[in-house]
Amino acid sequence: MRTTRLPTLSLVVSLLLLSACAVPRPPEKADAPMPPTWSNPLPASTAPLPHGGSLPTLGQWWEQLHDPLLVDLIFAAESVSPTVASAGARIAEARATRVAAGAALIPNLNGQLAASRGNSPTSGFTGTSTSGTTGLSTSLPILTTGQAGLQSSWEIDLFGGLRANRDASQARLAGADARWHDARVSVAAETANTYLDERACRRQLVVSTSDAQSRAETARLTDLSMRAGFTAPADAALARASAAEASGRLTQQRAQCALLEQALVSLTGIEAPVLRARLEAAPIDVALPAVQAVHSVPAEALAQRPDVYAAELGVAAASADAGAALAQRFPRLTLQGSIATVQVRTGGFRETFDTWTIGPLALNLPIFDGGTLAANEAAAKVRYDEAVALYRASVRQAVREVEEALINLRSTDERAEDADTAVNNYQASFDATQARFGTGLASLFDLESARRTLFASQTSRVSLQRERAEAWVALYRAMGGGWTRPESIATTAPAAAPSSP
């Protein structure tokens, strides 16, 4: 069948030119209020931000601790994390969706093979049989038909609806990639916090062990003195109670350290005996590196956070979805065509011939649908507004997290010297009281009071060290964990696989 007409071809060309037009979309980028400077910057004389605002240095954040065990734990946790694995699956899903959306813009082509064999009755003529009766003729001979061909169809994107779907899927793919990086940063921060908590727990265990041993020794000496008649039974009972209290705290502290160890086993997938051996071999004192003042302004700092970037891409995707929903309210044009080779055989007859068609060229005009398309468009605009609100909320939350990390770092840095001074002086006071107690110049009550004060100051210093470590990790998390936007990769590092945390 051959049905080519000049007006039809002219119409196709005209519609192709019209396909360059597209329906309007909401803005792909939304403004988010952001302070021009940090409201709680660290003084230049103190140390924050190990990276000094340098993006590439963030990638080597953990190496600054010179603790190979922590680096190994982070990589192990990322390799077994279901959060990271789920984020990776979302990337694969988004990539497949992007491919499908892009394929909708080009013609599709399908191959077809068909064969049939049979006959059918016909009313060819009416005659007289040898018996003298009349009736219908016999059926036709067996007919064999074979066909091989190609069929194509194409929806011409007149108003940009298909392009909008493609752009939305591309934005979601980039957003999924950013969320994968954010998942890695989160897992690294969680692992580091748990590890540093375990180190702090062991430091507190040393304090509790020393305190329990000291109290047990005092109880033993007091009991001997009581038996010799030099100490009242009430004082001996007080010493035994104090020793028992310290022993209970020591048992509780061991349990807390064991729980943190099990948390690391769960996070990293490393067998408990292997991890325990490595933890016992590693030093319990983790020296945090000195940090420099944060020189980057909030806009620059937050630009390197993958979660904020993903929220920004969510706005772009919602914008494209709104454009696609609007395009559905306009006419849709489709064009079909086919070519085929047909072979027919019957009896001794065989014939092969080619066929081709262009068309139909169909224009679908939505006239009445009960408000479905308008409702879909309204829903898409609402989802866009929601994406804008979520993006602005993520920016505000990011600013808050950085500010909180800076406040905590400054606070712990200012309190560190006071905590050390308190411990040193309480230790000197306790040593003097213990010496006086040994010569009978101080009572057991004085000794226990000095001991409790020393223990409280030592515990406070360990808690302060733990708080500072948590603030340091929080700053790593708040500053994006070493991730860089795709636009800045060419200027900061060669294009390659994602960098380590």
Side-chain angles (χ1 to χ4, degrees):
M1 179 175 61
R2 304 187 180 186
T3 58
T4 302
R5 294 183 181 178
L6 183 58
T8 302
L9 294 177
S10 300
L11 178 61
V12 172
V13 173
S14 300
L15 292 173
L16 286 175
L17 294 175
L18 284 175
S19 67
C21 303
V23 294
R25 307 180 192 174
E28 293 185 355
K29 293 186 177 182
D31 295 330
M34 195 175 301
T37 58
W38 301 112
S39 60
N40 294 283
L42 285 158
S45 58
T46 62
L49 261 195
H51 52 79
S54 170
L55 296 180
T57 309
L58 270 172
Q60 288 76 42
W61 183 287
W62 304 117
E63 281 77 0
Q64 300 172 92
L65 294 178
H66 303 291
D67 190 340
L69 177 55
L70 174 58
V71 176
D72 292 345
L73 292 178
I74 289 174
F75 278 109
E78 288 181 346
S79 64
V80 300
S81 169
T83 303
V84 175
S86 177
R90 298 289 81 77
I91 292 178
E93 180 182 2
R95 183 177 292 112
T97 303
R98 191 271 312 270
V99 171
L105 285 165
I106 60 177
N108 63 65
L109 186 64
N110 298 310
Q112 183 180 32
L113 293 174
S116 63
R117 181 178 175 83
N119 61 4
S120 60
T122 181
S123 55
F125 62 92
T126 302
T128 303
S129 65
T130 55
S131 60
T133 62
T134 62
L136 296 176
S137 67
T138 59
S139 62
L140 288 174
I142 294 177
L143 180 67
T144 302
T145 304
Q147 179 176 339
L150 297 174
Q151 292 183 338
S152 178
S153 63
W154 179 28
E155 180 179 346
I156 303 172
D157 195 22
L158 287 179
F159 298 98
L162 297 180
R163 279 171 287 166
N165 287 330
R166 179 202 58 193
D167 294 344
S169 61
Q170 179 62 42
R172 290 192 173 94
L173 174 58
D177 182 73
R179 289 188 181 91
W180 180 80
H181 286 279
D182 186 57
R184 293 175 65 243
V185 171
S186 297
V187 170
E190 181 182 5
T191 305
N193 267 330
T194 306
Y195 174 74
L196 294 174
D197 286 350
E198 195 273 344
R199 298 289 89 183
C201 184
R202 285 182 180 258
R203 290 197 297 273
Q204 182 61 36
L205 185 61
V206 171
V207 172
S208 298
T209 300
S210 176
D211 180 68
Q213 291 174 348
S214 177
R215 290 174 190 256
E217 180 63 15
T218 299
R220 185 184 71 82
L221 295 176
T222 304
D223 190 63
L224 291 176
S225 178
M226 181 199 69
R227 292 178 183 179
F230 297 106
T231 301
D235 289 342
L238 176 62
R240 289 193 298 270
S242 177
E245 182 183 10
S247 177
R249 280 198 301 266
L250 180 60
T251 301
Q252 182 183 25
Q253 192 66 36
R254 287 197 184 101
Q256 290 177 353
C257 293
L259 290 175
L260 288 170
E261 181 182 314
Q262 290 302 314
L264 285 174
V265 170
S266 176
L267 279 172
T268 62
I270 301 175
E271 294 183 359
V274 176
L275 180 59
R276 185 178 302 112
R278 296 196 63 181
L279 289 172
E280 292 175 353
I284 62 175
D285 291 322
V286 180
L288 298 179
V291 284
Q292 303 297 324
V294 182
H295 300 299
S296 59
V297 298
E300 296 172 350
L302 300 185
Q304 63 195 60
R305 284 186 54 136
D307 58 335
V308 174
Y309 182 59
E312 181 182 332
L313 290 171
V315 175
S319 170
D321 285 339
L326 177 59
Q328 292 296 314
R329 304 188 65 181
F330 292 88
R332 300 173 60 186
L333 181 67
T334 58
L335 175 64
Q336 296 182 354
S338 67
I339 58 173
T341 297
V342 181
Q343 184 182 84
V344 178
R345 291 185 298 168
T346 178
F349 173 79
R350 174 181 295 184
E351 180 66 23
T352 301
F353 53 93
D354 298 329
T355 66
W356 60 270
T357 62
I358 297 179
L361 182 65
L363 188 65
N364 187 341
L365 300 150
I367 297 176
F368 177 76
D369 60 2
T372 301
L373 296 179
N376 291 340
E377 180 190 358
K381 289 182 178 178
V382 171
R383 288 192 294 269
Y384 171 80
D385 294 337
E386 179 187 16
V388 171
L390 291 175
Y391 167 65
R392 290 172 176 166
S394 69
V395 171
R396 292 194 301 270
Q397 179 64 22
V399 172
R400 174 184 175 181
E401 290 175 1
V402 175
E403 294 280 14
E404 288 178 348
L406 295 176
I407 291 172
N408 290 332
L409 276 173
R410 180 174 61 183
S411 173
T412 53
D413 183 71
E414 293 173 350
R415 290 151 52 198
E417 184 177 354
D418 292 337
D420 290 339
T421 301
V423 170
N424 293 336
N425 285 277
Y426 280 130
Q427 182 69 57
S429 175
F430 172 75
D431 293 341
T433 304
Q434 191 174 37
R436 292 169 54 213
F437 175 77
T439 59
L441 298 178
S443 66
L444 180 62
F445 178 79
D446 294 334
L447 178 64
E448 289 303 313
S449 177
R451 195 196 313 273
R452 284 194 297 271
T453 304
L454 173 61
F455 178 78
S457 67
Q458 291 173 329
T459 300
S460 296
R461 182 170 63 178
V462 173
S463 298
L464 179 62
Q465 292 169 345
R466 181 175 179 175
E467 183 181 346
R468 181 169 178 77
E470 291 177 348
W472 191 76
V473 174
L475 185 59
Y476 158 84
R477 177 71 179 86
M479 296 298 291
W483 175 84
T484 57
R485 280 178 176 250
E487 299 90 339
S488 58
I489 288 178
T491 58
T492 59
S499 60
S500 62

